[in-house]
Structures are given as C-alpha cells and as structure tokens.
Amino acid sequence: MKVLVAGGAGYIGSHCVRQLQAAGHSPVVVDNLVFGHRAAVAPDVPFYDADLGDKAAMEALLKREEIDMVMHFAAFAYVGESVTEPRKYYENNFVATLRLLEAMLDAGVKKFVFSSTCATFGVPTSLPITEDLPQAPINPYGQTKLDVENLLKSFCHAYGMSFAAFRYFNAAGAAEDGTIGEDHNPETHLIPLVIDAATGRRENIKIFGTDYPTPDGTCLRDYIHVDDLARAHIAAFPLLEKAGAGHFYNLGTGTPNSVREIITAVEQVTGKRVPTVEAERRAGDPPSLYADSSKAIRELGWKIKYTDVTAIIETAWRWHRDHPKGFGS
Ligand code: UFG
C-alpha cells in the first residue's frame, strides 16, 4: 500500500512510518513541522512540508503520489491549552481534517485511519473502557477528536469511505533500535518528565494529586508502547477493503499503573533516584483510565508485545539517555 502519513514527523506518526516500512508498505509523509521533527523521518521516505487544511495542495499530493490510503496523526494534543485556546483545536484538529477528507474524496482516495483518544470518553462510566461506553469528553481536545469520529461515520455512510479509528490510551516508549522517540516541546507527559527528573534535567517530578480514589491515591493510566499502537493500525488494513465500513478500537494494554508506580519503575530502569513533590490535582484529570482492548485483539489479531510497563520505560530510557536534547541531540 502507498500510505500518506499525515503527521508522520510526530511521535506516534514517525513510529508508524517505521512499522509501515517493516511491513512492506510505502509511506509518504506530510507534516507542517509545527510539532514534528524532520529528523524523525528517514531520508528514504518522501516528505512534504504542507498544511492538511490546504485542500488544493493535499489533493495534488494525493494524486501525484498515487496514494491508496491516508493515516492521520496530525493534531494538537495539549489538553490544558485546548481549554484556554479552543479555536486552535477546532481549527487544527477538526477543520483541517475536514479539508483533508474533502481532498481525499476529490482525489478518489477512500481509505482512512484516524488517531483518536481515550479522552473522548471523558470520565468513563465504568472500567475497563470498552468501545461502546458513552463518550462525553471533558475538554475541547477530546471533543475535537470525537467530532472527527462522528464526521467519519457520516462520510462513510454518505460517500462510501472506509475507516478505522483508534482510541489511544497513554502512548509511551520509543523505537527498539533507539533511533527515534518522544520529543515534545513543551513536554507534559509523565514518563519523559520522570526520566528528566531522574537524570537531573529537571529538579523533581510533581505528582498531580495524591488523594484520588485509587490504591495509592495517584491517577491510574494505561501506558501502551508506541510501536504496539502502530502495529494495530497496520493490522486494520484488510478491514478497509470493504467500502462504507467504519471501525473503532480502544488500544491499551489493559493494565493500569499509578503515577507512583511509574516513578518507581523509572528508578528501577535508570538506577537513579527520582525526587518527587506532592502537588495539587491537575484540572481535568480523570482518576482512572484503562482499556478493554479485547475487540482489537479478537478482530485484528493484534498482539501486544510490551505488556509490562517496565519494558516500555526501558525503551524510553534508551532514547532519552542517548538523545538528551531529543532530535536536536
Ligand atoms: N502527571 C503527574 N505529573 C506530571 C505529569 C503528569 O503527576 O508532571 C500525571 C497526570 O496527572 C496523569 C498521569 O501523570 O495522572 C499521566 O499524565 P500525562 O500528561 O502523561 O497523560 P494523560 O493521562 O493526561 O493523557 C491524556 C489522555 C490522552 C491524550 C493526552 C494528550 O489520556 O488520551 O492526554 O496529551 F492523548
């Protein structure tokens, strides 16, 4: 398959590009490099610096490269910022995706894979989170992702598009060969911040909330290796052969880990002590989020390689240790 990877220079997109190559597909990357890194994309992969919202440019690209399918990872994903600057999120995550889908229809490309999020569930009504739980996002970031999910259902019904949408839990880790990994600016995610605290690049890690109704009082999350996420996407390709069909999958390991457990695991992996500070809860954090991924396992034959969070952190540690300034190292 010739696959256009939108956001292919970003964290999850760049890992997916590698997995596509490993599976014998031909990725083409489009990324405006607002958050992506040119160095995250191998030189042998065709690269376009363009905006998804530029319909004419995208339509021309789809035709020129004779693309069979689009995978879409390009989005803003800072939950707090989405609350204070929702315009940016609706524009970039929703409107630009609508333009991309229009370009696809006009170019005759009808297969689509979409990065969604467990944030579409808001505070879940039960745990673990299955695909059919009510979706009620509690911030504009989650809302824009849910809006795209609904847009896809309509386009699938009306225009015969086929799609798979994946609700990621907490993407983590780095490529096994240590060549690419997580590099956000600013970084807000727990594992890279704890690693920074372990190496002294930051003074400490603030634990946001110690009075949650969880076993150790800190939030529970489901950390899933970025390459496991990528492999699920590729496993869904056969489903896209059927026109007019849409599929949703939750992707996590199903094992919840608390903030304190992550800190302990980073200490074990790095052999360094992590200074911690107990802080107030962060607004908008649900106490517990973890997946029931049995649908993906059953229907896609998805196999989770990294079932243990320590193994995930080992890959992250290798990347951060060898690239202290991320792609700028
Ligand atoms: N945390 C801390 N201290 C920190 C950073 C995080 O205690 O310095 C805690 C958070 O409160 C949370 C856990 O660590 O309990 C994980 O936080 P992350 O910021 O790493 O990730 P989130 O769980 O907030 O991820 C959410 C959604 C994803 C979404 C992502 C967007 O679950 O679906 O935000 O970045 F994609």
Side-chain angles (χ1 to χ4, degrees):
M1 287 271 199
K2 189 102 180 260
V3 185
L4 182 68
V5 185
Y11 173 43
I12 304 173
S14 61
H15 286 78
C16 207
V17 167
R18 298 291 186 96
Q19 295 294 326
L20 283 166
Q21 288 183 300
H25 299 287
S26 303
V28 173
V29 168
V30 58
D31 199 301
N32 64 7
L33 299 179
V34 169
F35 286 112
H37 304 275
R38 183 65 186 89
V41 184
D44 61 330
V45 176
F47 179 85
Y48 293 85
D49 182 345
D51 273 312
L52 300 184
D54 184 343
K55 181 182 170 281
M58 293 308 297
E59 193 181 328
L61 197 171
L62 290 163
K63 287 179 178 160
R64 186 183 324 126
E65 290 284 355
E66 299 180 345
I67 295 295
D68 298 308
M69 170 194 303
V70 176
M71 301 178 87
H72 179 24
F73 298 92
F76 291 163
Y78 292 107
V79 171
E81 184 189 57
S82 80
V83 177
T84 53
E85 295 192 56
R87 257 176 87 165
K88 253 172 93 165
Y89 282 72
Y90 281 92
E91 185 67 40
N92 190 67
N93 295 3
F94 183 79
V95 177
T97 304
L98 172 60
R99 296 284 169 265
L100 170 65
L101 291 171
E102 287 173 336
M104 286 176 61
L105 286 178
D106 289 347
V109 181
K110 292 197 166 184
K111 294 176 186 154
F112 194 69
V113 176
F114 180 60
S115 285
S116 190
T117 168
C118 64
T120 58
F121 291 101
V123 181
T125 51
S126 64
L127 289 163
I129 301 175
T130 50
E131 283 78 3
D132 53 2
L133 282 195
Q135 288 172 288
I138 55 172
N139 52 61
Y141 166 67
Q143 187 63 52
T144 58
K145 291 285 185 175
L146 180 57
D147 290 344
V148 172
E149 287 194 5
N150 289 325
L151 178 65
L152 288 173
K153 285 185 205 164
S154 306
F155 272 42
C156 171
H157 177 74
Y159 308 125
M161 290 192 85
S162 59
F163 73 88
F166 294 99
R167 285 97 173 229
Y168 308 152
F169 283 64
N170 289 58
E176 209 159 62
D177 66 4
T179 51
I180 56 171
E182 192 167 8
D183 181 2
H184 293 116
N185 185 18
E187 186 54 82
T188 59
H189 294 109
L190 182 65
I191 292 176
L193 291 179
V194 176
I195 289 176
D196 278 353
T199 56
R201 277 196 294 273
R202 56 187 293 129
E203 220 171 293
N204 54 51
I205 183 78
K206 287 196 174 65
I207 302 177
F208 294 146
T210 54
D211 58 350
Y212 283 102
T214 58
D216 69 14
T218 67
C219 286
L220 297 176
R221 293 289 181 273
D222 182 339
Y223 297 87
I224 173 82
H225 195 278
V226 62
D227 279 338
D228 277 325
L229 290 179
R231 284 187 282 265
H233 293 62
I234 297 165
F237 285 6
L239 296 179
L240 303 180
E241 294 304 322
K242 186 164 179 282
H247 308 269
F248 294 95
Y249 296 100
N250 293 351
L251 298 181
T253 63
T255 304
N257 283 107
S258 72
V259 174
R260 288 194 201 280
E261 284 172 336
I262 294 297
I263 293 168
T264 304
V266 169
E267 290 186 324
Q268 275 168 7
V269 167
T270 61
K272 298 173 192 292
R273 204 182 67 81
V274 174
T276 60
V277 171
E278 296 191 359
E280 292 297 305
R281 291 183 178 196
R282 186 172 67 178
D285 274 341
S288 298
L289 295 172
Y290 51 97
D292 179 332
S293 295
S294 52
K295 185 176 178 221
I297 292 166
R298 193 174 60 246
E299 293 186 5
L300 305 178
W302 184 45
K303 291 188 181 64
I304 304 170
K305 179 171 175 188
Y306 296 91
T307 50
D308 173 20
V309 81
T310 305
I312 297 176
I313 290 171
E314 277 166 4
T315 65
W317 167 234
R318 208 173 306 138
W319 161 254
H320 289 287
R321 184 195 57 200
D322 297 343
H323 302 83
K325 292 187 179 136
F327 288 100
S329 295

